[in-house]
Amino acid sequence: MPAPHLPRHRLQGGLLTLLTYLLALAFLFPLVWMFMAAFKTEAQAFAVPPVFVFTPVFENFQHALGSYFPALRNSLVAAVGSTVLAFILGLPAAFALAVYPTRRAQGVLTWMLSTKFMPAVGVIVPLFLLFRNLHLLDTLPGLILMYTTMNLPLVVWMMHSYMTEIPYAIYEAAKVDGASVAQEFFGIAMPLSTPGMAATALLCLIFAWNEVFFALNLTNSDAAPLSVFISQFKTSEGLFWAQMSAAATLTVLPVLIFGWVAQRQLVRGLSFGAVK
Amino acid sequence: MTATAAAHAGTRPSPKRGLRLTPMALIWPAMLYLILTTQVPFFMTVYYSFFRYNLAIPGARPFVGLDNYRNLLSDPQNLHILGNTVVLAGGTLLLTLLLGATLALLLNRDFPGRALLRTLLISSFLIMPVVTAVVWKNMLLNPVFGFFSWLVTRLGGHPVDWLAQYPMASVIGMITWEWTPFAMLILLTGLQSLPDDQLEAARLDGASPWQEFRYVVLPHWTQAIQVVVLMETIALLQVYGEIYGSTSGGPGIATTNLPYFIYQKAFAEYNIGLASAAGVITVVLTNLLAVYLLKLISRTHSGRGD
């Protein structure tokens, strides 16, 4: 390498790093702005010119908390409930498809993935009428049923890809020892794919937490999760920006933390394992 | 994945005596659930789409054949909505690919704070769509108090009522902000799986940075790009929360896409027949695209001998 090449290279690298930081800053700005507004007074929140330096206040959170808790409870129950149900239904299927693959297995897997291609608007009308007749509208069981539909293909696909990675020799050894299918499932497949289960569960929780279409159309007040609660701020003209920001901050923070922790697994889940 | 599956099939154990759990019995609950909650309602949607069915007029539900479809496709307003759906999905897809690729290339270098930046950059994807809509609409795009308007004024321009003057561009900008991290994540993973020796070999052969990108990086990147296109196309055709929370499809029908249109027809006008027909069209459209894109992916996928 010729000597003069090096400093130029370093300068170029430095500029690229600076560009990266600037782009990242621009991207994060809306979020930072929202977090900041949550700690402002209402007057500061929509002041022109914008206020960048201020003494943080916490009363917005107190205001927001009142109506936040019932919605938080509903979001938690719906997200956790649908994740558990999707695992109960999906884990055995993923196990069977991974360990006893028949010629039809690939077809079953593809079909399950294809249910993810089904836009919610293609099923919402009959489901709404059905829910109305079964008195499932505005109930948590109703919401859990729909979120399970959303998460089940994800559980089957992700867990299938984790379970095919378990060396087949382990199952064979167990079979020689006379293990039943149930013993293979609970004794080998489940314990050996725990990290995969954690990643999948995290993704299911995030998706159910953020879902809005079913929430808006199938719930109203009793079972309304956080997405419905936040959409009430849709037409808040200036007056409640600080309070809105506080509520929004409380709503997105759990998911942000989950997502930051699980970022590596996100790729696998989001691309159904197509990119590793 | 397919190779291991084939290997398994070869050593498939013979059925045992007294086996209570058969593999199919393990698969059926999940399949049955999905059939009941996706296939059955979809066929009911198809069925409703042949009737003039309005919840506000109970009792009367005459069979009208393809009239709902005819109404949908002959009204120029509805073609505009179909156009909106395509522009919204296509525009966002293109922008997220460009921005995501830029960020992925920038983050694929070694520099201090890289891991932290990568982690922070996925944030906007994790934000609930309604929160994005509500915060952007009120705090960023507001013509009087919004941050962007202040910024434009500071730079010597006039305040802009973004959602009224440039509704589609504003919505695309907002959704691009949400989906760029997804493109970035998948594309970055694709870049990082490129073996170093390939790049070194290209450099030894005297390839310029552009040639290196064009003939080594880009071919390797194809699969990741296809995954982004497939996943985003499906998701962006279904955008709803962002529109509900920001423009409510307006002004007029400037930002109404198919999902929002169906929501309005079904839940504001109770026109179940028409909403169902639009639902069927959306599903057919999505599936045609998905199958085509999926074929594309599996072709390059198997081409690599995975």
Side-chain angles (χ1 to χ4, degrees), chain A residues 243-265:
Chain A
Q243 208 175 312
M244 175 190 83
S245 300
T249 302
L250 289 170
T251 303
V252 301
L253 216 52
V255 169
L256 274 182
I257 293 166
F258 270 12
W260 286 337
V261 172
Q263 53 154 329
R264 256 169 228 291
Q265 283 72 33

Side-chain angles (χ1 to χ4, degrees), chain B residues 279-294:
Chain B
V280 172
I281 291 178
T282 313
V283 171
V284 170
L285 197 76
T286 312
N287 273 276
L288 280 179
L289 266 172
V291 167
Y292 172 72
L293 293 168
L294 208 62

Side-chain angles (χ1 to χ4, degrees), chain A residues 21 27 122 145 179 241 263 274, chain B residues 16 33 45 112 119 138 177 223:
Chain A
Y21 271 92
F27 250 88
L145 283 175
W241 285 7
Q263 53 154 329
Chain B
K16 270 195 216 165
Y33 192 94
T45 306
T119 302
N138 290 318
W177 178 71
Q223 198 210 342

Side-chain angles (χ1 to χ4, degrees), chain A:
Chain A
M1 274 289 145
H5 187 71
L6 218 88
R8 206 180 72 194
H9 193 73
R10 198 167 288 167
L11 180 72
Q12 219 175 32
L15 283 175
L16 283 177
T17 305
L18 187 70
L19 179 68
T20 317
Y21 271 92
L22 285 175
L23 266 176
L25 200 69
F27 250 88
L28 288 169
F29 178 76
L31 212 54
V32 174
W33 199 233
M34 180 186 95
F35 287 146
M36 279 168 77
F39 295 97
K40 291 178 182 174
T41 64
E42 293 292 355
Q44 284 168 340
F46 66 101
V48 183
V51 180
F52 287 96
V53 184
F54 56 93
T55 330
V57 293
F58 294 90
E59 55 190 77
N60 299 316
F61 289 95
Q62 282 171 337
H63 281 296
L65 281 177
S67 38
Y68 171 79
F69 277 120
L72 172 75
R73 186 195 65 113
N74 289 339
S75 271
L76 273 176
V77 174
V80 174
S82 65
T83 305
V84 170
L85 190 56
F87 265 82
I88 292 174
L89 291 164
L91 269 186
F95 165 76
L97 289 168
V99 182
Y100 300 93
T102 59
R103 213 165 295 157
R104 244 179 305 165
Q106 201 57 42
V108 171
L109 271 173
T110 312
W111 175 77
M112 285 199 175
L113 180 64
S114 78
T115 62
K116 288 291 275 184
F117 301 159
M118 176 79 73
V121 289
V123 293
I124 189 70
V125 169
L127 285 171
F128 175 80
L129 298 175
L130 199 70
F131 271 35
R132 201 181 54 172
N133 293 341
L134 296 172
H135 301 287
L136 280 170
L137 280 184
D138 205 13
T139 65
L140 283 171
L143 206 56
I144 290 174
L145 283 175
M146 286 336 292
Y147 287 179
T148 303
T149 302
M150 198 171 73
N151 282 333
L152 186 51
L154 185 76
V155 170
V156 175
W157 261 82
M158 274 187 83
M159 290 319 296
H160 172 264
S161 90
Y162 280 107
M163 282 174 172
T164 39
E165 277 169 19
I166 300 171
Y168 199 66
I170 299 181
Y171 292 112
E172 277 176 337
K175 272 194 195 81
V176 171
D177 292 341
S180 67
V181 173
Q183 280 167 329
E184 283 178 5
F185 178 60
F186 289 110
I188 302 171
M190 292 239 318
L192 286 182
S193 54
T194 327
M197 281 163 66
T200 310
L202 228 45
L203 270 179
C204 288
L205 289 171
I206 292 174
F207 285 139
W209 188 274
N210 283 351
E211 205 283 334
V212 61
F213 188 76
F214 288 124
L216 275 169
N217 293 319
L218 298 178
T219 71
N220 181 18
S221 54
D222 292 346
L226 283 167
S227 47
V228 175
F229 163 67
I230 285 295
S231 63
Q232 289 162 3
F233 287 100
K234 197 172 142 165
T235 48
S236 90
E237 276 294 326
L239 285 172
F240 299 109
W241 285 7
Q243 208 175 312
M244 175 190 83
S245 300
T249 302
L250 289 170
T251 303
V252 301
L253 216 52
V255 169
L256 274 182
I257 293 166
F258 270 12
W260 286 337
V261 172
Q263 53 154 329
R264 256 169 228 291
Q265 283 72 33
L266 270 176
V267 176
R268 191 165 178 165
L270 293 174
S271 65
F272 281 94
V275 179
K276 280 182 192 164

